[in-house]
Amino acid sequence: MNDTGGRIRGHPVLQAIRTRRVVRSLTTDPVERADLEAVIDSARYAPRAGNRHIHRYVVVNRPALLHALRMVSPGMLQAPTAAIVVCVDWARAESYGFTPADAGPYVDVGTATATMLLAAHALGLGSGPVTSFSRTAAATLLGLPETVRPELIVCLGNPAAGRTPSLRRRPENTWADVVSWNRATSSPGPPDAQGPTARNHETEERRVWSRIREIDAGYEDNSAAAFLDVYADDAELTNVFGETFQGRDAILGRLRALFTDPRFLAGRWAGSPRTHLRWVTDDVVVVKTYREREGQQTADGSVLPRRRTHSIKVFHREDEAWRVVSDFYMDARDESAVGPEPETS
């Protein structure tokens, strides 16, 4: 009799598949660059429709940029020390006849992700996928071209329960033309050791704070008109209920409805908002604001207890003007993604 059961139980690939888990408890130790390269190199062996290469990958391992990415990713419950953002290059996809309605490009995101998760597990790394994040914010943070859309984030780190053995760098890795580190405009090679430095930083920071004061005044006065020049044309806003409004007109329509809703108007702001600003690049800033509101009513007219919310806004400078490209709201939680952390690079 063939020992089929024993052969399967001892097969290293099947063993890796069966023992892989999403790991959210990670140490603060950085992931070795060789390990990162091995994980991303594995994605090219994943099956894909027609063997067409329409995906792009952005490796993020700079702490400040990781923190900013985490701020706009409510599904990122772990605190990774590296991440790989899987993107679809839609210009290239359309040249092959794919449209956003076709399942193939998205299925291929999944196959590449599954392969990378298994590779990470084989190396002793902790990993996990994240699909709950603001794609507009992520694209801005990473400096992606308009035709390249982020679809999934693979979080990576060293499991808190043990150490990860390093792996020799594979000399045959030739993915430099489709892999960038931290931002799409960066050149191949080791990630920058220094964080961004804003041109005429004090002047630009005053401009950002001026925008923030416009927003605060708009909420104090319940005035949608105050937001006319705040949002970019293609901005998106996601409220605490998970509803997303795409484009400036849709956002302003939502704010007009909110500011005339008697249930909302029954409440009042409690105290002043607390705001924290974080520079990502010369042209991208993430702004986190904590607010409390009392007396707001539910649909049946009952009074809500004090509501504590965070908003995460990504500001992008275009033509010397700062505008919001992503506005994400969530109920406050005891989680470091929305708590103050020291600025690092």
Side-chain angles (χ1 to χ4, degrees):
M1 179 182 294
N2 294 332
D3 186 15
T4 303
R7 180 175 61 83
I8 292 175
R9 282 192 297 272
H11 196 287
V13 175
L14 295 178
Q15 187 68 9
I17 292 172
R18 291 178 175 181
T19 57
R20 187 207 59 77
R21 299 289 185 272
V22 171
V23 179
R24 295 194 175 96
S25 181
L26 304 169
T27 72
T28 57
D29 296 330
V31 178
E32 295 288 339
R33 183 181 173 92
D35 286 351
L36 280 173
E37 290 179 339
V39 170
I40 200 165
D41 181 70
S42 69
R44 62 173 169 162
Y45 298 99
R48 54 179 56 86
N51 198 30
R52 296 181 174 93
H53 299 268
I54 62 173
H55 297 84
R56 297 292 178 263
Y57 306 83
V58 181
V59 183
V60 183
N61 62 351
R62 200 180 76 208
L65 187 53
L66 271 171
H67 179 73
L69 186 63
R70 191 168 182 241
M71 290 171 70
V72 299
S73 305
M76 195 179 293
L77 302 182
Q78 60 271 73
T81 52
I84 299 171
V85 184
V86 185
C87 311
V88 175
D89 184 343
W90 280 107
R92 190 169 178 82
E94 289 173 4
S95 72
Y96 287 119
F98 289 111
T99 71
D102 294 321
Y106 306 104
V107 171
D108 292 349
V109 168
T111 59
T113 298
T115 303
M116 287 191 288
L117 294 175
L118 284 173
H121 178 54
L123 294 172
L125 296 173
S127 64
V130 172
T131 58
S132 177
F133 64 98
S134 169
R135 281 149 179 79
T136 300
T140 302
L141 292 173
L142 303 177
L144 296 176
E146 290 184 1
T147 60
V148 177
R149 175 180 166 86
E151 296 294 346
L152 189 144
I153 302 172
V154 176
C155 296
L156 296 167
N158 291 289
R163 305 286 295 181
T164 302
S166 61
L167 184 74
R168 292 181 301 170
R169 180 173 179 174
R170 297 185 177 184
E172 69 275 13
N173 190 316
T174 58
W175 267 28
D177 58 333
V178 295
V179 178
S180 56
W181 294 81
N182 295 310
R183 285 176 61 83
T185 54
S186 65
S187 59
D192 295 335
Q194 302 297 323
T197 57
R199 295 168 297 176
N200 199 355
H201 189 279
E202 292 184 2
T203 299
E204 295 305 324
E205 187 153 318
R206 285 197 296 270
R207 289 178 176 176
V208 175
W209 279 110
S210 177
R211 281 295 194 199
I212 294 170
R213 287 191 289 272
E214 288 180 44
I215 293 169
D216 290 343
Y219 277 112
E220 287 292 335
D221 298 338
N222 296 321
S223 171
F227 296 85
L228 286 174
D229 194 42
V230 167
Y231 291 98
D233 290 341
D234 59 348
E236 68 177 19
L237 180 148
T238 301
N239 63 20
V240 294
F241 305 108
E243 300 172 311
T244 298
F245 301 87
Q246 188 72 49
R248 178 192 290 142
D249 291 343
I251 294 172
L252 292 177
R254 171 57 184 166
L255 291 176
R256 292 187 188 99
L258 178 68
F259 293 151
T260 57
D261 189 329
R263 295 168 298 181
F264 179 81
L265 295 176
R268 64 179 182 85
W269 298 110
S272 300
R274 300 202 297 269
T275 301
H276 173 73
L277 182 151
R278 176 180 291 269
W279 285 90
V280 179
T281 71
D282 288 354
D283 302 315
V284 179
V285 176
V286 176
V287 174
K288 175 179 59 179
T289 302
Y290 173 82
R291 297 176 184 273
E292 295 186 358
R293 190 172 180 84
E294 296 177 329
Q296 189 171 333
Q297 296 177 355
T298 63
D300 62 6
S302 59
V303 177
L304 286 169
R306 177 174 291 200
R307 186 160 205 170
R308 299 172 173 86
T309 59
H310 286 286
S311 67
I312 305 294
K313 292 178 171 59
V314 177
F315 285 79
H316 186 224
R317 183 172 62 179
E318 300 175 347
D319 300 325
E320 302 305 318
W322 288 92
R323 291 187 175 84
V324 177
V325 297
S326 175
D327 201 356
F328 195 96
Y329 291 80
M330 67 190 86
D331 287 322
R333 63 191 187 203
D334 294 328
E335 210 270 311
S336 60
V338 292
E341 294 187 15
E343 183 77 38
T344 56
S345 62

